[in-house]
């Protein structure tokens, strides 16, 4: 369980290229999930062109990036989605893309099944229609299951069912596992972050302390469940979970947004964590190598307020994005610290919580949130 300490130390100081990165192809989306990290909805007219996107893929190939997490928005909305997917495959850049499933037809499922170096993650935030649709919108549960059936019928293989853990679905873990088995899929769980529209829904959706303990125990008992290192803050309970158990922001991961801006973390889309632009700063490789922000993140850090805690080596202070978007100091405890150290700090925060750089929500969603 967990990662070798020497390997973790090496990763903590950064690599010549990210192991993986997240690339949001577009902010356009036909859903309006209340926890959306990028507040997606409307397409930006300045998003990367097809030729710019292909040039970026060429950089990923030259840097030998292991794979790219493609997301959005809903990436399949882009008219050149399959063109870019095939271009990446030709250059042996692995692609894992996330979709809400609404646009996965039988024909598209068969096309995906015929491709190498492609993985698909279908997002689902409830093992039942009621729980899922309360977060992702009416009809989204049925659409996601229809996509899973199409992928299964096309013999795609072990696609992923990607679930953001909330207080309403954390009790459905066994049902999610059964659903994955039904479709020959693999279960992937990720942590809810207070980013994008999640800033407003975080307090009502985040699991309770008792639920986090149950989640930790369940993950220990189900080591084949993927987590993307989302829950390393829970390793402070005792036995470390599988993974690096550290914040990889600017060290082994980063994000490229639809207009080519590069951020240290896929969950911290804010000017404070913007490292540069592939359009103006010499391309992606130059930003990754030369960014002052990335250099700062790769320097040895201090335990800060967590220095006196015996669990520091296990959780490394938790998630940078979770701390930032709850208005907490970055060298402080995680807001969901398993020992409760984050609770009094969170209660003492009086400043307005930071917002993501831009809100791309549709006018309808924006109006609903102000009424």
């Amino acid at each position: 369980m967990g990662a070798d300490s020497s390997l973790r130390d090496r990763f903590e100081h950064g690599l010549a290229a990210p192991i993986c990165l997240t690339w949001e192809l577009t902010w356009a989306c036909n859903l309006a999930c209340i926890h959306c990290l990028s507040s997606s909805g409307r397409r930006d007219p300045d998003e990367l062109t097809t030729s710019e996107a292909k040039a970026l893929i060429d950089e990923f190939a030259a840097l030998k990036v292991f794979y790219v997490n493609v997301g959005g928005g809903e990436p399949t909305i882009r008219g050149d989605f399959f063109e870019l997917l095939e271009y990446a495959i030709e250059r042996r850049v692995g692609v894992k893309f996330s979709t809400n499933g609404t646009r996965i037809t039988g024909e598209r499922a068969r096309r995906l099944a015929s491709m190498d170096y492609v993985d698909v993650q279908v997002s689902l935030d409830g093992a039942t229609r009621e729980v899922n649709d309360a977060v992702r919108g009416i009809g989204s549960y049925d659409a996601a299951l229809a996509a899973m059936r199409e992928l299964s019928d096309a013999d795609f293989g072990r696609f992923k069912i990607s679930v953001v853990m909330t207080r309403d679905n954390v009790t459905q873990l066994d049902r999610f596992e059964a659903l994955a088995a039904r479709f020959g899929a693999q279960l992937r769980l990720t942590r809810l972050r207070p980013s994008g529209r999640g800033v407003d829904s975080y307090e009502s959706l985040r699991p309770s302390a008792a639920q986090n303990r149950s989640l930790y125990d369940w993950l220990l008992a189900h080591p084949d469940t993927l987590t993307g290192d989302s829950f390393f803050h829970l390793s402070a309970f005792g036995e470390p979970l599988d993974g690096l158990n550290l914040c990889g922001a600017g060290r082994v991961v980063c994000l490229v947004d639809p207009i080519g801006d590069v951020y240290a973390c896929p969950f911290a889309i804010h000017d404070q964590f913007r490292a540069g632009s592939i359009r103006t700063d010499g391309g992606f490789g130059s930003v990754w190598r030369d960014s002052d922000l990335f250099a700062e993140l790769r320097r040895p850090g201090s335990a800060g307020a967590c220095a006196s805690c015996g669990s520091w080596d296990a959780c490394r202070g938790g998630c940078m994005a979770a701390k930032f978007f709850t208005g907490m100091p970055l060298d402080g405890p995680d807001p969901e610290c398993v020992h409760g150290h984050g609770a009094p700090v969170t209660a003492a925060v009086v400043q307005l919580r930071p917002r993501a750089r831009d809100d791309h929500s549709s006018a309808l969603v924006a109006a609903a949130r102000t009424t």
Side-chain angles (χ1 to χ4, degrees):
M1 304 293 284
D4 178 272
S5 61
S6 61
L7 182 63
R8 185 171 70 176
D9 289 344
R10 180 185 175 193
F11 285 177
E12 196 165 20
H13 291 91
L15 300 176
I19 293 175
C20 63
L21 59 88
T22 297
W23 181 11
E24 294 183 338
L25 277 186
T26 183
W27 284 305
C29 193
N30 55 345
L31 296 186
C33 305
I34 63 175
H35 59 6
C36 179
L37 294 168
S38 57
S39 300
S40 288
R42 292 175 287 109
R43 180 176 185 173
D44 193 300
D46 200 32
E47 68 184 28
L48 298 179
T49 64
T50 301
S51 59
E52 287 178 313
K54 287 182 175 179
L56 183 56
I57 292 170
D58 287 338
E59 281 206 78
F60 295 156
L63 287 168
K64 301 188 185 304
V65 173
F66 186 55
Y67 70 90
V68 179
N69 288 307
V70 169
E74 171 54 43
T76 62
I77 286 178
R78 274 192 65 138
D80 58 0
F81 172 75
F82 276 98
E83 180 180 352
L84 295 177
L85 192 58
E86 289 168 349
Y87 190 84
I89 292 167
E90 290 170 0
R91 279 142 189 81
R92 296 186 176 271
V93 175
V95 173
K96 178 185 296 181
F97 78 91
S98 297
T99 177
N100 57 39
T102 58
R103 296 167 59 84
I104 302 297
T105 62
E107 179 184 356
R108 288 178 172 176
R110 290 188 292 273
R111 187 173 180 181
L112 291 166
S114 70
M115 297 177 176
D116 294 324
Y117 305 110
V118 174
D119 198 5
V120 181
Q121 295 185 164
V122 180
S123 297
L124 189 74
D125 292 328
T128 56
R129 185 178 293 105
E130 178 184 19
V131 172
N132 178 83
D133 288 6
V135 173
R136 305 188 62 82
I138 295 173
S140 58
Y141 178 85
D142 291 336
L145 261 64
M148 294 176 200
R149 281 193 292 271
E150 296 291 6
L151 290 166
S152 179
D153 290 346
D155 293 324
F156 178 86
R158 296 194 78 193
F159 64 89
K160 310 297 186 293
I161 299 176
S162 183
V163 183
V164 176
M165 287 283 90
T166 70
R167 67 180 54 183
D168 297 318
N169 67 23
V170 74
T171 59
Q172 298 183 319
L173 288 167
D174 290 337
R175 298 178 74 169
F176 280 120
E177 185 180 42
L179 190 63
R182 171 183 163 191
F183 289 108
Q186 189 169 17
L187 185 60
R188 183 177 188 269
L189 308 180
T190 59
R191 182 182 178 184
L192 173 73
R193 264 83 168 198
S195 308
R197 287 198 289 269
V199 170
D200 294 324
S201 58
Y202 178 67
E203 291 302 333
S204 62
L205 287 181
R206 67 168 172 164
S208 68
Q211 287 177 326
N212 272 331
R213 177 68 207 215
S214 296
L215 172 60
Y216 168 78
D217 292 337
W218 194 91
L219 288 172
L220 282 181
H222 297 79
D224 291 337
T225 300
L226 303 177
T227 65
D229 223 19
S230 280
F231 303 103
F232 63 92
H233 66 299
L234 300 184
S235 290
F237 276 125
E239 185 178 348
L241 297 171
D242 275 339
L244 293 176
N245 288 306
L246 72 96
C247 173
R251 301 177 176 100
V252 296
V253 300
C254 66
L255 172 135
V256 181
D257 78 6
I259 61 173
D261 286 340
V262 182
Y263 293 85
C265 171
F267 310 111
I269 307 171
H270 187 277
D271 281 341
Q272 184 166 327
F273 303 104
R274 181 181 176 276
S277 169
I278 66 167
R279 284 173 159 165
T280 60
D281 295 316
F284 175 79
S286 179
V287 175
W288 179 261
R289 290 189 303 269
D290 304 327
S291 160
D292 291 340
L293 172 64
F294 286 172
E296 179 183 347
L297 289 171
R298 293 163 188 167
R299 284 193 283 268
S302 164
C306 299
S308 61
C309 179
S311 297
W312 162 254
D313 284 338
C315 77
R316 296 298 177 105
C319 174
M320 177 182 76
K323 289 186 276 192
F324 178 76
F325 283 113
T326 50
M328 297 172 66
L330 297 186
D331 65 350
D334 190 289
E336 296 180 33
C337 168
V338 304
H339 299 305
H341 298 318
V345 181
T346 305
V349 171
V350 295
Q351 69 191 75
L352 288 174
R353 292 183 174 181
R355 293 277 173 173
R357 184 182 178 197
D358 296 301
D359 190 334
H360 311 280
S361 302
S362 66
L364 182 63
V365 173
R369 292 206 312 275
T370 58
T371 57

